[in-house]
Amino acid sequence: TDECLETICSTIENFLAGSGIDRTKLLGIGVCMAGRVNPKTGRSYKYFTHKEQSLSEIMEKRFGHRVLIENDTRARCYGEYVKGCTGQEKNIIYLNLGRGVAIGIIIDGKLYYGRSGFAGEFGHTPYFDNEIICDCGKKGCLETEVSGIAIENKMMFQKQHKIHINDIIGAARNDDTLSIELIEEAGEKIGKSIAFLINIFNPEQVIIGGSLANAGDYLMLPLKSAVNKYSLRLVYNDTLFRATTLDDSIGSLGAAMLIRNQIISL
């Protein structure tokens, strides 16, 4: 709604006012959000889609600065590349495992966008032969079995009430058997899907991020086991795996670095 957009803009204004930074020194503003985003046109295809102007144009008029609208997974991916990697890796896949599933891809040190800016919709791969309708409207997507929402739905089937994925992860870390089983099951399926990515891209590094990464070994052990089982060993041996060690602000950092790069032509 317009009220929601106003809240977002007011929050940014308050942040800038409280930062103590001279506004004349501000190069631009990077904003990351979930869903399909085209940074070139500045449009989100999930939020504020009823506006004639693009979201970036609306915000640029409001703030008086250049604004980059970026997909949250790509922003996180680039943030990891800038801050989390050693600097030697140039070919990276970042898997964002939250309530949905998506990937960010870096090839030769550059984010890969695809023709229309929508590359990375890995969660909507038709991976399973099931009758579960995905958020995208299709059946059998990877997200229907391994996302945070999928785990929440499976838990609700058992417990008869909704439990948020963060609470399920917390329960697993406190030895709740059902929570552990659901996360391990998702980890095995995710690992099998990652094996596909490794065989295709042969990346230097695969980074597991998003809220599900907080499940630690309950997720990573079955995930790595499945990758080892289903990928080609010659390819898998050259890929470094790690769970992110950075917090949720990594998306903000990535968006800030991307608008900087755009303005100074890096």
Side-chain angles (χ1 to χ4, degrees):
T1 63
D2 290 339
E3 291 77 14
C4 181
L5 181 56
E6 175 57 34
T7 298
I8 292 170
C9 290
S10 296
T11 301
I12 294 173
E13 286 281 11
N14 292 336
F15 170 79
L16 292 173
S19 68
I21 296 171
D22 183 352
R23 287 286 287 268
T24 63
K25 296 181 179 179
L26 185 64
L27 289 177
I29 299 171
V31 179
C32 63
M33 59 177 57
R36 294 166 190 81
V37 172
N38 188 327
K40 288 185 178 180
T41 63
R43 289 192 177 277
S44 164
Y45 292 85
K46 183 173 183 178
Y47 300 110
F48 313 114
T49 56
H50 64 290
K51 301 286 188 180
E52 287 188 14
Q53 287 182 301
S54 70
L55 189 56
S56 62
E57 288 172 336
I58 293 170
M59 298 182 83
E60 283 172 356
K61 184 177 180 181
R62 170 70 178 265
F63 298 118
H65 294 282
R66 203 155 142 188
V67 174
L68 172 72
I69 306 296
E70 182 57 274
N71 168 265
D72 65 327
T73 299
R74 280 198 299 261
R76 285 169 173 261
C77 179
Y78 197 74
E80 288 280 354
Y81 177 66
V82 171
K83 190 172 183 180
C85 297
T86 65
Q88 302 300 315
E89 305 90 346
K90 300 297 180 185
N91 298 284
I92 296 165
I93 291 176
Y94 173 83
L95 189 65
N96 187 11
L97 297 174
R99 301 190 79 235
V101 178
I103 60 172
I105 307 165
I106 290 180
I107 299 175
D108 292 333
K110 301 290 184 181
L111 273 173
Y112 179 72
Y113 286 89
R115 179 178 175 83
S116 304
F118 304 131
E121 294 289 344
F122 187 57
H124 301 294
T125 306
Y127 206 80
F128 297 103
D129 185 19
N130 63 33
E131 292 298 312
I132 303 173
I133 298 176
C134 181
D135 182 57
C136 72
K138 302 183 186 301
K139 295 180 181 178
C141 292
L142 183 64
E143 278 193 12
T144 64
E145 294 277 355
V146 305
S147 65
I149 290 177
I151 294 173
E152 289 174 358
N153 290 337
K154 291 177 182 180
M155 178 65 81
M156 185 168 65
F157 180 77
Q158 296 280 345
K159 297 289 189 179
Q160 304 302 310
H161 63 277
K162 193 79 169 181
I163 303 175
H164 194 275
I165 184 60
N166 291 342
D167 295 321
I168 295 172
I169 292 169
R173 296 177 76 91
N174 283 290
D175 299 327
D176 180 72
T177 303
L178 178 57
S179 298
I180 291 171
E181 288 177 355
L182 292 176
I183 292 170
E184 287 180 339
E185 178 189 359
E188 195 276 334
K189 292 176 179 177
I190 293 164
K192 188 175 181 179
S193 68
I194 293 173
F196 165 76
L197 292 174
I198 289 175
N199 289 342
I200 295 294
F201 288 102
N202 187 203
E204 295 169 81
Q205 188 167 159
V206 173
I207 304 168
I208 309 300
S211 57
L212 273 174
N214 294 326
D217 284 346
Y218 292 125
L219 177 80
M220 293 301 293
L221 290 179
L223 185 154
K224 288 181 179 179
S225 178
V227 170
N228 187 39
K229 179 179 179 181
Y230 293 107
S231 65
L232 298 173
R233 178 168 294 277
L234 194 63
V235 183
Y236 169 66
N237 284 344
D238 287 336
T239 300
L240 173 66
F241 265 87
R242 70 176 176 86
T244 183
T245 57
L246 305 175
D247 60 29
D248 280 343
S249 66
I250 195 61
S252 300
L253 172 67
M257 292 299 97
L258 287 168
I259 183 65
R260 178 204 66 170
N261 293 356
Q262 190 180 95
I263 290 172
I264 64 177
S265 300
L266 279 181

